[in-house]
Every structure is written in structure tokens, then in C-alpha cells.
Amino acid sequence: MHTIGLQMIGNRQSAEGTQTFRAWAPAKQQWLPQPFHEATPAEVDQAVALAAKAFPAYKKATATARAAFLHAIASGIEALGEALLQTASEESGLPLARLNGERDRTANQLRLFAKTIEEGSWVHARIDGGAPDIRQMQIPLGPVAVFGASNFPLAFSVAGGDTAAALAAGCPVVCKAHPAHPHTSHLVAKTILEAAKETGMPEGVFSLVHGATVETGQHLARHPQLRAIAFTGSFGGGKALFETAAQRPVPIPVYAEMGSVNPIFLLPGMLAENAATFAAQYLQSLTMGVGQFCTNPGVIVTAGDGNELIKALETGITQLAAGVMLTPGILNAYQAGLQRLESMGALPVCKGADVAGKAAPVMMRTSLNKVLETPGMLHEVFGPAGLLVLCDDAAGLSIFAEALEGQLTASIHGTPADLDHHAPLADILREKAGRLLVNGFPTGVAVNHAMVHGGPWPAATPGAGTSVGTASIYRFTRPVCFQDFPGQMLPEELRNENPRSIWRMVNGDWQRGSIS
């Protein structure tokens, strides 16, 4: 099961550094024996330089060739079979059933991007004939750094959505593996490199570097040949990369998804009619994956004394077991987050049984006034912790919504009459979150053409992007226009003949035909 703890720089492996780290096995509560080498600055430089060397060839690879590469990665990941799932489970503590679904999601999103680029309309070709003749389309940015996430060892990691989108766009990728699952990362990276060789991609189209220190990631972020960064993780980590990128001689975009409290607004009618059912569904969402989702619903907001809801939460939470978290550091941060909430005046409501080395689910409560006085209460506690915010009346729901920082999601639960009466609430929340839900829970994130996984600061940066769904490809492209170019010099997507029959805006009208 265990793999070689080396950097994978293009077609070669490297272990120049003497500093090492080990992966944690949450279920066994022990460190795994094999060391992984921390990438040296020279190794990081080599990986980015190789990506920059690969870019001129890779950006010109046909959509069919890039799609074949993505398909080969997807098939290779599936071919790893149980070995991949067992390794990921050992390193993350996540059950095999969850990881099986995550593997399917990883392969499916690669294939979805392949289909998208083969169809071709994603380039948003626009043609305005006349004098001058101006034609526009999206082109790839260049080498991209992807930072793997701790909580999704497959779907938001080495071959996850960020890598899939960047490769689809035509950008080589240097991936910084998350130190929580280096063995899993190695297996997937090896598969990507095999797929690149099989489909004739240039060396350097993908590399993997390891590192458990902040310095390794920061050195990668500062590399002058890098053109964008994608990150999924904590606010502190994302903000640090954002600031580094902004201070470079030539700043580059950082697409950081940094989490949020994902509030659920429980309207009065639904509270009166359905408190017990809501509480059961809420606790299931809150504790899924031991609460280690960036879309975890960490806050409920409702009006009144909330007594029936509190009783239902107390009943439900006693039936829930404590769970192992991804790393000791994440568990320590969870416990520190609970202590921080209590120090700010949040009151305990109910808690699951304490088990050494595990995270027990917790519900706390506070008032609207307390939250308004202490906005730090709404900072994310990563794990199975929920905060119930009680407003004196229904008007307080809108006051709370107006005070919110940016969120990945915001949900409204109500009866039809509730939803009609509180319609303005959705308009407020539209300015606060990337995804709005009605009578649903945000934990699951579908991978499709319409999904948005992002939101205003501090949930993500910038607020105009998404890290899930095919629209995420635009993080790694930029528009360029060609003015008065002869036809033979134009990209084929912009030629009069439209050889790929893609949808294009021609003089203001969308069409798929050729231009006479």
C-alpha cells in the first residue's frame, strides 16, 4: 500500500531534501511509518520551470487531445481499484463507501470537462465584423499551482476539480499535495503522469511536490513563472497565499475557497410545524464526515425561544457518536474553536459523548444581539459544531442576514406561506452567498454546468468565481481579441468557416454556422 515519498517532477522522481514528515492514520491514532521528503526550493523551481516549458506545446494541443488526456486520467484513477480507496481511508479515516463516491465524482468531473472542451463553445467566441474586424475568445493563462485540500483526498486534491479545470483550459499544473494524505496523492499523481505519457502530452504538463511546512507552499506561490493559484482550505492559509500573490512584482490571481458557516434560516411556520424533522435532518448534515465540509451548516437562525427545536436537537445529538477527524491538528483546532465560542458568550445546548482522540458533536446557542456585538462568533469552527442564533422576532432574521459576511451557501427553510412572507430575505442573501437553497441542506455539492461553489469574501477570493462545475475553467483563462487578423492567422474557433461548429456570438447574435 505504501509508496515512495518523493517529488514527481515531470517524468522523474526527486528527493533532494533531508526534511521529512509522515502521514497520520486517524482510525489507528498513529503516524504511518514511511517518511515523505519535503520539497526543496530547487525542486519546486524545477517543477514550475518544467511546466512553463510545457505550456507553449500544451496550450496548442487540440481539444480532442486534451480531452483524451482527461479521459485517460479518469480511467487510470478507476483502475487503481481498492488500493486507492484503502490508502485514502487509512490516511483520512473516511469510510470506504464515502471514498468510493468521491472517486466516482473525481472521475466524472474529469469526463465532464473533457466533454465541455470537446464541444468547444466554452471559449465564448465573439465576432464583430466591419472596420475594424474584432474577434474574441478565452485563452489559457499558463502554469497553475493547485493546493490539495485536507478533507477531500480525491475530489479536491491531486486530480480534483482545480486540476481538471486547469488542464482542460490548457494550463500545466504543479500540485502541492496535502500532507494529510501524501500516499494517496502519490498514487493519483503517478496515474496522471502515466496518462500524460499515454496521450502524448509534453513533459511538465503535471508535477507533484510534497510539503508539510508553510515555506514550501509560499515558495511555490512566489515563483515568477506561475500564472494562477487554486487553493481549498482554511481562511488563514488562503489569505496568506492571496497576500503573497498580491505582493509579487507581477501579481497573479489566487482562487481560494476558504469555508464559511453556511447559515440556515428557519422561518416561523416551519419551526412551528416541523421542528423535530428539521432537527434530525440538520444534525445529519452537520455531522456528515465529522463536520469536515466547507459547506457544513454551522449556524441556524430562527425567531422566538426555540424551545421545541432545542428539545429536538438535544434528543438527536445524544444518539450521535464522536468521530475521528482528519489530523490531530484539525481536532485541536476544533476543540479550540469550541472554547473560543464559549469565551465569547455562546451557551452550551447539548453535546455527544466525549471520546478521547475524537470529535463529539456540539450545539451551542446565542442571541442576535450577542452576535451583532461579537461578530467573531460567526467565524467557522471546522467540525461537527452548530450555533443556534435566536432572534426576538422574525424581523431579526433580516437584520442577521444584513450583518453576514460572505458565505459559500445560505439556506432558507419555510412553509409556502413563510417563503412568500419572507421573500425579501432571499434578495438580501443573494448578495451574501454563492449558492442559495430552499428547504435543503448545503453539504452536498453537485458537479454540473450550473453549480457555484464560491462566494464573497471571506468565503472565497475572488467572489466572482466558482471552484466546482464547468464554469470553474474560467479561473484559468483570460479573454483576448484579435483585430483585423487574416483568417489563416486566427484560432480555428474564430475563423469564418467555424470548423468545429461551436456556438459563437456573431454581430450580437448567437449562431453555429459559418460566416460568408
Side-chain angles (χ1 to χ4, degrees):
M1 177 184 297
H2 299 299
T3 48
I4 300 170
L6 306 176
Q7 322 313 320
M8 304 180 75
I9 302 172
N11 295 335
R12 71 181 186 88
Q13 296 188 353
S14 176
E16 296 177 358
T18 57
Q19 187 171 351
T20 61
F21 65 95
R22 289 174 169 81
W24 174 253
K28 298 176 182 176
Q29 293 286 288
Q30 65 184 38
W31 297 99
L32 294 176
Q34 185 184 337
F36 273 75
H37 291 262
E38 184 92 19
T40 64
E43 287 173 323
V44 172
D45 291 346
Q46 291 162 16
V48 181
L50 202 56
K53 184 178 179 181
F55 179 55
Y58 187 58
K59 72 179 180 181
K60 293 181 180 178
T62 65
T64 300
R66 293 205 306 274
F69 180 29
L70 297 178
H71 279 295
I73 298 171
S75 297
I77 288 170
E78 291 170 336
L80 290 172
E82 288 299 306
L84 176 63
L85 301 184
Q86 292 287 351
T87 301
S89 181
E90 181 178 46
E91 289 188 303
S92 68
L94 298 171
L96 292 174
R98 147 77 190 271
L99 290 166
N100 187 66
E102 192 180 329
R103 178 183 60 185
D104 290 347
R105 170 179 171 163
T106 304
N108 289 340
Q109 64 193 8
L110 285 159
R111 293 186 173 116
L112 181 62
F113 276 108
K115 183 178 180 180
T116 297
I117 60 175
E118 281 186 299
E119 189 277 330
S121 299
W122 74 273
V123 299
H124 284 180
R126 294 165 178 255
I127 299 172
D128 274 282
D133 180 282
I134 298 177
R135 306 184 181 214
Q136 179 201 116
M137 65 178 287
Q138 297 288 320
I139 66 168
L141 288 178
V144 169
V146 170
F147 286 73
S150 65
N151 55 340
F152 281 85
L154 301 175
F156 280 85
S157 190
V158 174
D162 290 333
T163 297
L167 292 177
C171 299
V173 169
V174 177
C175 182
K176 160 81 168 52
H178 197 283
H181 41 79
H183 299 88
T184 305
S185 298
H186 183 97
L187 288 174
V188 175
K190 186 171 182 287
T191 297
I192 296 174
L193 292 171
E194 289 170 350
K197 185 175 181 180
E198 173 190 330
T199 56
M201 295 297 109
E203 184 184 9
V205 72
F206 178 85
S207 291
L208 179 78
V209 295
H210 291 285
T213 68
V214 170
E215 288 75 18
T216 299
Q218 286 289 324
H219 185 78
L220 176 58
R222 286 191 292 265
H223 196 286
Q225 290 178 294
L226 209 61
R227 292 294 176 264
I229 296 169
F231 170 88
T232 300
S234 68
F235 175 74
K239 186 171 182 287
L241 289 173
F242 177 78
E243 291 173 345
T244 295
Q247 293 164 5
R248 292 166 44 123
V250 179
I252 59 173
V254 174
Y255 299 102
E257 184 271 285
M258 302 179 289
S260 64
V261 297
N262 305 297
I264 294 181
F265 291 76
L266 181 56
L267 302 182
M270 182 67 79
L271 175 62
E273 294 181 12
N274 215 21
T277 300
F278 171 86
Q281 294 173 340
Y282 173 78
L283 289 174
Q284 182 181 25
S285 180
L286 180 74
T287 59
M288 184 183 297
V290 200
Q292 297 170 115
F293 286 82
C294 47
T295 51
N296 199 45
V299 171
I300 307 171
V301 192
T302 194
D305 59 24
N307 286 339
E308 291 303 313
L309 177 61
I310 290 171
K311 289 178 183 177
L313 291 169
E314 288 175 339
T315 300
I317 211 165
T318 58
Q319 302 171 26
L320 299 175
V324 293
M325 300 195 84
L326 294 159
T327 67
I330 290 175
L331 175 61
N332 291 339
Y334 173 65
Q335 293 168 337
L338 295 176
Q339 293 170 2
R340 175 177 57 80
L341 281 177
E342 283 203 61
S343 71
M344 291 179 176
L347 302 174
V349 171
C350 48
K351 183 179 181 181
D354 277 318
V355 178
K358 295 185 177 182
V362 173
M363 282 301 305
M364 307 181 84
R365 67 180 175 89
T366 190
S367 67
L368 172 61
N369 288 338
K370 191 70 175 175
V371 167
L372 296 177
E373 294 169 0
T374 319
M377 295 181 81
L378 296 183
H379 292 170
E380 180 184 33
V381 177
F382 190 66
L387 178 66
L388 175 61
V389 179
L390 297 172
C391 304
D392 292 336
D393 52 40
L397 299 174
S398 293
I399 295 172
F400 179 90
E402 291 281 10
L404 274 175
E405 293 184 317
Q407 304 291 322
L408 295 173
T409 76
S411 308
I412 303 172
H413 283 242
T415 64
D418 277 330
L419 297 175
D420 284 342
H421 184 70
H422 292 274
L425 183 59
D427 191 56
I428 298 171
L429 294 175
R430 187 178 70 172
E431 307 306 317
K432 301 290 184 175
R435 178 163 58 114
L436 306 180
L437 299 86
V438 170
N439 291 335
F441 294 89
T443 326
V445 181
V447 179
N448 55 36
H449 298 294
M451 178 53 64
V452 170
H453 188 58
W457 179 275
T461 176
T466 176
S467 65
V468 176
T470 54
S472 66
I473 196 171
Y474 297 112
R475 297 172 300 162
F476 308 119
T477 67
R478 64 180 179 88
V480 65
C481 74
F482 301 83
Q483 184 167 325
D484 289 332
F485 265 51
Q488 71 273 17
M489 292 180 65
L490 287 167
E492 64 177 15
E493 292 89 345
L494 296 178
R495 294 178 183 175
N496 285 353
E497 300 80 13
N498 194 14
R500 298 184 59 196
S501 291
I502 65 172
W503 285 100
R504 307 187 297 182
M505 180 184 283
V506 179
N507 297 323
D509 295 321
W510 288 102
Q511 57 179 261
R512 294 183 65 181
S514 61
I515 303 171
S516 58

